[in-house]
Amino acid sequence: MPVSKFDVEDPFQYLTSLNSYHESEAVPGTLPQSHSLPQRHDHGLYPERISGTAFTAKRAVNKQTFLYRILPSTAQSPWTQVDSHPLNCDFRTDLQFLPDQFVWPPLKVDRSRTFVDGMVLIGGAGDPTVKNGVAYYNYSCGVDMGKDKAFYDADGDLLIVPQLGVLEVQTEMGMICVRMGEICVIPRGIRFRVSLPSGLSRGHVIEAFSGHFDVPELGAIGTLGLANVRDFEIPKASYYDTEETTEVMSKFGGKIHTAKMKGSAFNAVSWHGTYYPFKYDLGKFMPIGSTLYDHQDPSVFTVLTCPSDKPDCPAVDFLLLGPRWLVMENTFQLPYFHRNTMSEFSSVLSGGFDLATVPKQMYGMSALHNNLSPHGLEAHEVDEAMSKKLKPERVPDDTKAFLVESCYPIGITDWAAKNAIPSNGGENFGNFKRHFPSKI
Ligand SMILES: [Fe+2]
């Protein structure tokens, strides 16, 4: 069965199918039937709506959800800006734009940090105040966010990719368990907290300021292939009832703000709508590939895409380079040299990139190949690829690497500049030999 093998069982149940209209109730009878706004809710709940698109957005992309809460989200104090928070960033002034190739080793896991406090900004582009751009983070954490904490990102959707450990994500719509090999999307504005049932965790977070993550159109592929919508899992309603105070952290306009709220942020007893978080097991991805010669474009590995404000220029294409057969004949099977107009941010979660294995100590690394900067294999790898006897080869099952293609040139933070390993060709220009004119 094409699923990932997990060490930890998922304790939660889910609704399935991305983009469907879903409804769920933790207490039977708490979801009003037919209408959404009863004058007085039978169970004493407050209806509240969160929208992810304009009211007038086309039906196919319209995202709105009604939540039925014990107390409304307005039961809160004024916001206070946290001036010194490490996630604060002014994207217009705080990033360096460099054409170099960069590699970052995996983060050392910080046992003292929560998921949100353990996020480190590597870089990005654009401006969250105009809903345009992207940001890349690594995270490492070893402490649960308490039941009295909640976080939401008003600036963008968060795509969370754990490389180590397990995340138990409590959201307003219910609980999600995300293990290495799975990804999770928390759309902008939805409140969540993360606990760590197996201790330490590490991974990556991709934040998209524009639009929402969705499966790509399939074009000539047809109706089946890549990430199939039925394999996406959506939480079922569950709630936490308390009269204690909760601290809500908001990322808004690139700055962290906090407020106190009465009761829990996770007090929705039922909900219905189209705006919700979801998870996906990358082991269920159905790859498409060349079956005779040459490479197809890597866009066929797209799991999720998020549009920018420019037509046909995704802010994020999240690609999985996973297990599959390589069967092309008389073809340079490995990645060929290229300079792409899309920037590329990548990581190996396990295994390697296709047939090229990566040492275990580098699992969780990050790499950046910026817009139109040349990159490809090293000279000795090219020589081996050109001389090897070709036969069908299987990219192993433990191979999980991802690639984020973005239309934006990516600027990096001071932290990223200090901690990077530059990986250009070096002073010998990569040691490439001339073969032209050929003696053959
Ligand atoms: Fe590339």
Side-chain angles (χ1 to χ4, degrees):
M1 211 158 82
V3 294
S4 297
K5 291 191 183 95
F6 298 109
D7 297 333
V8 176
E9 206 167 312
D10 184 338
F12 307 118
Q13 293 190 320
Y14 300 91
L15 307 160
T16 56
S17 188
L18 189 63
N19 293 329
S20 291
Y21 200 107
H22 285 295
E23 59 180 46
S24 183
E25 50 186 12
V27 176
T30 55
L31 202 58
Q33 294 303 299
S34 294
H35 66 172
S36 295
L37 295 163
Q39 182 182 14
R40 185 182 173 85
H41 190 283
D42 287 345
H43 292 252
L45 298 173
Y46 290 91
E48 179 178 303
R49 181 151 77 167
I50 181 165
S51 62
T53 52
F55 301 131
T56 50
K58 287 176 187 162
R59 278 174 181 262
V61 294
N62 203 305
K63 295 186 187 298
Q64 326 269 333
T65 285
F66 273 102
L67 299 133
Y68 296 90
R69 318 189 73 108
I70 295 169
L71 286 176
S73 300
T74 52
Q76 66 154 77
S77 70
W79 293 101
T80 305
Q81 187 172 312
V82 183
D83 291 329
S84 57
H85 200 282
L87 289 183
N88 290 351
C89 182
D90 186 336
F91 273 50
R92 293 161 299 186
T93 57
D94 296 350
L95 300 178
Q96 308 172 47
F97 288 81
L98 303 165
D100 300 85
Q101 293 183 47
F102 290 106
V103 172
W104 291 275
L107 277 187
K108 218 171 149 191
V109 179
D110 190 335
R111 296 167 182 272
S112 68
R113 291 182 183 271
T114 66
F115 174 82
V116 171
D117 293 337
M119 286 169 65
V120 178
L121 178 63
I122 297 174
D127 183 348
T129 67
V130 292
K131 291 189 169 182
N132 186 23
V134 70
Y136 302 132
Y137 304 84
N138 285 348
Y139 78 84
S140 80
C141 51
V143 181
D144 290 357
M145 291 169 70
K147 287 191 166 185
D148 59 346
K149 297 278 189 298
F151 175 80
Y152 74 91
D153 189 349
D155 290 342
D157 282 22
L158 297 176
L159 169 55
I160 302 170
V161 189
Q163 183 271 322
L164 190 72
V166 179
L167 304 178
E168 211 166 88
V169 188
Q170 183 168 22
T171 76
E172 294 180 80
M173 285 76 180
M175 303 291 298
I176 307 176
C177 173
V178 197
R179 302 158 288 186
M180 188 312 210
E182 294 178 306
I183 57 172
C184 170
V185 170
I186 312 286
R188 70 167 72 217
I190 292 179
R191 296 167 184 211
F192 70 98
R193 60 177 277 270
V194 175
S195 49
L196 308 166
S198 62
L200 309 175
S201 181
R202 174 174 69 194
H204 307 270
V205 179
I206 297 130
E207 181 185 26
F209 302 147
S210 58
H212 295 293
F213 285 103
D214 203 348
V215 284
E217 296 295 343
L218 290 180
I221 292 172
T223 53
L224 197 64
L226 312 189
N228 292 308
V229 290
R230 68 189 285 247
D231 293 326
F232 287 82
E233 296 179 290
I234 293 99
K236 289 188 168 179
S238 70
Y239 66 98
Y240 175 57
D241 188 10
T242 179
E243 298 205 25
E244 300 292 315
T245 302
T246 297
E247 182 191 6
V248 182
M249 294 172 72
S250 167
K251 182 170 170 293
F252 187 93
K255 302 281 191 304
I256 297 294
H257 304 254
T258 68
K260 300 280 184 202
M261 75 177 284
K262 204 172 170 181
S264 172
F266 310 107
N267 65 3
V269 181
S270 52
W271 61 268
H272 69 86
T274 49
Y275 197 48
Y276 39 71
F278 56 86
K279 76 160 183 171
Y280 175 71
D281 172 8
L282 296 171
K284 295 179 178 174
F285 189 76
M286 181 183 155
I288 305 289
S290 170
T291 53
L292 192 58
Y293 70 95
D294 284 353
H295 290 250
Q296 71 291 331
D297 288 331
S299 46
V300 293
F301 302 129
T302 303
V303 181
L304 289 170
T305 185
C306 183
S308 73
D309 59 352
K310 302 172 202 61
D312 302 321
C313 283
V316 173
D317 273 346
F318 178 84
L319 280 54
L320 171 70
L321 302 173
R324 64 193 188 281
W325 281 96
L326 299 179
V327 298
M328 302 87 87
E329 298 171 355
N330 189 21
T331 294
F332 188 85
Q333 282 192 348
L334 298 180
Y336 50 95
F337 299 107
H338 54 284
R339 295 176 291 154
N340 283 347
T341 188
M342 303 284 277
S343 59
E344 300 175 13
F345 177 75
S346 59
S347 177
V348 171
L349 305 175
S350 69
F353 278 106
D354 291 351
L355 296 175
T357 52
V358 163
K360 268 192 177 170
Q361 64 268 27
M362 287 300 279
Y363 290 2
M365 49 69 78
S366 315
L368 176 66
H369 298 143
N370 236 322
N371 293 50
L372 297 169
S373 292
H375 55 284
L377 300 173
E378 294 180 17
H380 70 94
E381 295 171 308
V382 175
D383 289 343
E384 285 165 25
M386 287 195 295
S387 57
K388 75 187 277 192
K389 191 170 163 44
L390 294 183
K391 61 179 192 313
E393 284 191 84
R394 177 77 152 74
V395 177
D397 278 338
D398 69 341
T399 305
K400 280 193 171 72
F402 73 76
L403 177 61
V404 175
E405 304 227 3
S406 173
C407 65
Y408 306 110
I410 301 301
I412 62 172
T413 59
D414 289 345
W415 179 92
K418 277 188 203 120
N419 287 279
I421 309 165
S423 62
N424 293 313
E427 287 178 7
N428 57 12
F429 303 110
N431 246 345
F432 287 98
K433 297 185 203 95
R434 290 176 57 112
H435 296 297
F436 178 83
S438 172
K439 294 186 182 114
I440 299 167

PDB file of all heavy atoms in Angstrom, residues 8 154 197 221 226 391 417 436:
ATOM      1  N   VAL A   8       5.012   6.031  15.068  1.00  0.00           N
ATOM      2  CA  VAL A   8       4.021   6.485  16.052  1.00  0.00           C
ATOM      3  C   VAL A   8       2.642   6.437  15.403  1.00  0.00           C
ATOM      4  O   VAL A   8       2.461   6.879  14.260  1.00  0.00           O
ATOM      5  CB  VAL A   8       4.343   7.945  16.474  1.00  0.00           C
ATOM      6  CG1 VAL A   8       3.269   8.489  17.418  1.00  0.00           C
ATOM      7  CG2 VAL A   8       5.718   8.009  17.121  1.00  0.00           C
ATOM      8  N   ALA A 154      -1.349  35.904  10.728  1.00  0.00           N
ATOM      9  CA  ALA A 154      -2.229  36.685   9.855  1.00  0.00           C
ATOM     10  C   ALA A 154      -1.538  36.994   8.535  1.00  0.00           C
ATOM     11  O   ALA A 154      -2.180  37.446   7.584  1.00  0.00           O
ATOM     12  CB  ALA A 154      -2.633  37.983  10.552  1.00  0.00           C
ATOM     13  N   PRO A 197       4.443  14.886  21.414  1.00  0.00           N
ATOM     14  CA  PRO A 197       4.230  13.626  22.132  1.00  0.00           C
ATOM     15  C   PRO A 197       5.449  12.723  22.174  1.00  0.00           C
ATOM     16  O   PRO A 197       5.549  11.880  23.064  1.00  0.00           O
ATOM     17  CB  PRO A 197       3.084  12.964  21.359  1.00  0.00           C
ATOM     18  CG  PRO A 197       3.079  13.618  20.026  1.00  0.00           C
ATOM     19  CD  PRO A 197       3.581  15.003  20.233  1.00  0.00           C
ATOM     20  N   ILE A 221      -2.416  15.266 -17.467  1.00  0.00           N
ATOM     21  CA  ILE A 221      -2.333  14.079 -16.601  1.00  0.00           C
ATOM     22  C   ILE A 221      -3.718  13.475 -16.414  1.00  0.00           C
ATOM     23  O   ILE A 221      -3.885  12.273 -16.270  1.00  0.00           O
ATOM     24  CB  ILE A 221      -1.696  14.449 -15.236  1.00  0.00           C
ATOM     25  CG1 ILE A 221      -0.226  14.818 -15.430  1.00  0.00           C
ATOM     26  CG2 ILE A 221      -1.827  13.304 -14.229  1.00  0.00           C
ATOM     27  CD1 ILE A 221       0.453  15.385 -14.194  1.00  0.00           C
ATOM     28  N   LEU A 226      -0.337  12.555  -8.906  1.00  0.00           N
ATOM     29  CA  LEU A 226       0.306  13.473  -7.955  1.00  0.00           C
ATOM     30  C   LEU A 226      -0.378  13.286  -6.588  1.00  0.00           C
ATOM     31  O   LEU A 226      -0.623  12.154  -6.179  1.00  0.00           O
ATOM     32  CB  LEU A 226       0.276  14.904  -8.462  1.00  0.00           C
ATOM     33  CG  LEU A 226       0.725  15.133  -9.931  1.00  0.00           C
ATOM     34  CD1 LEU A 226       0.858  16.611 -10.232  1.00  0.00           C
ATOM     35  CD2 LEU A 226       1.989  14.383 -10.259  1.00  0.00           C
ATOM     36  N   LYS A 391      20.433   1.281 -16.620  1.00  0.00           N
ATOM     37  CA  LYS A 391      19.429   0.220 -16.450  1.00  0.00           C
ATOM     38  C   LYS A 391      18.329   0.813 -15.572  1.00  0.00           C
ATOM     39  O   LYS A 391      18.561   1.827 -14.893  1.00  0.00           O
ATOM     40  CB  LYS A 391      20.052  -1.023 -15.808  1.00  0.00           C
ATOM     41  CG  LYS A 391      20.628  -0.801 -14.418  1.00  0.00           C
ATOM     42  CD  LYS A 391      21.190  -2.106 -13.885  1.00  0.00           C
ATOM     43  CE  LYS A 391      21.527  -2.094 -12.407  1.00  0.00           C
ATOM     44  NZ  LYS A 391      22.270  -1.004 -11.862  1.00  0.00           N
ATOM     45  N   ALA A 417      23.055  34.205   6.775  1.00  0.00           N
ATOM     46  CA  ALA A 417      24.362  34.523   6.169  1.00  0.00           C
ATOM     47  C   ALA A 417      25.499  34.011   7.041  1.00  0.00           C
ATOM     48  O   ALA A 417      26.503  33.478   6.551  1.00  0.00           O
ATOM     49  CB  ALA A 417      24.477  36.033   5.971  1.00  0.00           C
ATOM     50  N   PHE A 436      35.628  19.121 -25.365  1.00  0.00           N
ATOM     51  CA  PHE A 436      35.452  19.541 -26.753  1.00  0.00           C
ATOM     52  C   PHE A 436      36.765  20.145 -27.273  1.00  0.00           C
ATOM     53  O   PHE A 436      37.374  20.936 -26.553  1.00  0.00           O
ATOM     54  CB  PHE A 436      34.342  20.587 -26.839  1.00  0.00           C
ATOM     55  CG  PHE A 436      34.109  21.125 -28.222  1.00  0.00           C
ATOM     56  CD1 PHE A 436      33.315  20.434 -29.104  1.00  0.00           C
ATOM     57  CD2 PHE A 436      34.705  22.325 -28.635  1.00  0.00           C
ATOM     58  CE1 PHE A 436      33.089  20.928 -30.397  1.00  0.00           C
ATOM     59  CE2 PHE A 436      34.504  22.807 -29.912  1.00  0.00           C
ATOM     60  CZ  PHE A 436      33.696  22.112 -30.790  1.00  0.00           C
TER      61      PHE A 436
END
